[in-house]
Amino acid sequence: HPVGEFQSETLTNCLQNHLDQQTAAQGLLRAGIVHRLDRMTSGLMVVTKEHQSHRLISLDFQSGQMKKSYVAMVEGRVAFDERVIDLPIGQHPLGRSVLMSVGLDAWRPRKARTKVTVLKRRAGLTLVQCQLYTGRNHQIRVHMSAIGHPVLGDEFYGLHGEIRSPPRDGGESRSSHRHALHAAGLGFVHPVFGTWLRFRSAPKVDFFCW
């Protein structure tokens, strides 16, 4: 969605333009963003066209009924095969609203759980799958950083919670090269038919360009 200096060419802009082509007047349909991805994260999102569907799917998302999984390339050789990271996440004490932390000095920490499964190891890097049980801001990036395996190319989060580069005003990334994080799986209940829907998306080639 538009934020800071990025006011155009966002997913919200594109969707609104698409919906405006379907109505007699602009704005009669509005894209209902149920959840968001960081600007440098690729992959699946679910967006609704009307209020009731947005409400029902949003409630499922808030209660943990929506299933989301990601793939990430992380720094270092991850020693474990599978692990659940259960570390509360709050706002980083630096005071920048976009930055998050698992530190004891984090502001307003909230429960956060991520299941991490190793998919492949290679020299100095590990490909992992991350399943979210909660939906905190920057959750995967913060959790992987906290255990010493930050997401490859992450501009903000380094080893063991280190902040590599504080964001500028508006909180958006200054980098033109994205981090290696991709929303690969999404499952939720259809708000009208009540059937379970499951979607998969493979990372694009730029994910493996490191």
Side-chain angles (χ1 to χ4, degrees):
H1 65 272
V3 62
E5 67 184 74
F6 300 97
Q7 293 296 318
S8 62
E9 298 184 1
T10 70
L11 177 63
T12 300
N13 295 127
C14 295
L15 287 171
Q16 191 58 52
N17 180 68
H18 171 70
L19 294 177
D20 285 342
Q21 310 308 310
Q22 303 177 29
T23 58
Q26 293 184 354
L28 292 180
L29 289 176
R30 303 288 292 179
I33 306 295
V34 176
H35 61 106
R36 57 175 291 178
L37 296 178
D38 297 334
R39 191 171 67 90
M40 293 297 186
T41 301
S42 60
L44 296 165
M45 290 185 65
V46 57
V47 182
T48 66
K49 294 175 63 175
E50 47 85 26
H51 175 74
Q52 182 67 3
S53 293
H54 182 268
R55 178 178 179 275
L56 292 173
I57 297 178
S58 295
L59 288 173
D60 284 347
F61 177 71
Q62 294 167 16
S63 65
Q65 297 302 307
M66 178 183 287
K67 305 302 181 184
K68 297 196 298 179
S69 64
Y70 293 70
V71 290
M73 193 80 74
V74 300
E75 298 179 12
R77 183 179 178 85
V78 177
F80 60 82
D81 292 328
E82 186 174 284
R83 175 179 172 182
V84 174
I85 304 172
D86 197 346
L87 296 172
I89 293 176
Q91 186 179 338
H92 198 282
L94 280 180
R96 304 263 186 171
S97 61
V98 71
L99 290 178
M100 309 304 287
S101 172
V102 300
L104 296 177
D105 54 355
W107 299 350
R108 298 183 294 274
R110 300 171 66 191
K111 179 180 179 180
R113 298 182 71 232
T114 307
K115 181 180 179 181
V116 180
T117 304
V118 170
L119 301 177
K120 188 175 182 179
R121 297 179 179 92
R122 71 183 197 188
L125 298 173
T126 305
L127 182 66
V128 298
Q129 175 179 286
C130 298
Q131 181 179 346
L132 297 184
Y133 295 109
T134 53
R136 308 298 173 227
N137 194 27
H138 296 179
Q139 180 170 321
I140 293 172
R141 297 165 62 189
V142 172
H143 271 174
M144 296 309 299
S145 167
I147 65 170
H149 296 286
V151 173
L152 191 63
D154 196 316
E155 183 180 13
F156 298 153
Y157 302 104
L159 289 170
H160 304 293
E162 169 200 1
I163 300 300
R164 288 171 167 162
S165 173
R168 59 187 170 185
D169 292 341
E172 281 296 321
S173 171
R174 288 165 288 199
S175 174
S176 60
H177 189 74
R178 74 182 190 89
H179 47 240
L181 182 61
H182 177 80
L186 187 62
F188 59 95
V189 175
H190 192 288
V192 176
F193 301 111
T195 54
W196 180 256
L197 303 178
R198 184 182 299 274
F199 301 89
R200 299 289 300 176
S201 168
K204 302 300 182 184
V205 66
D206 66 330
F207 182 91
F208 301 100
C209 287
W210 292 92

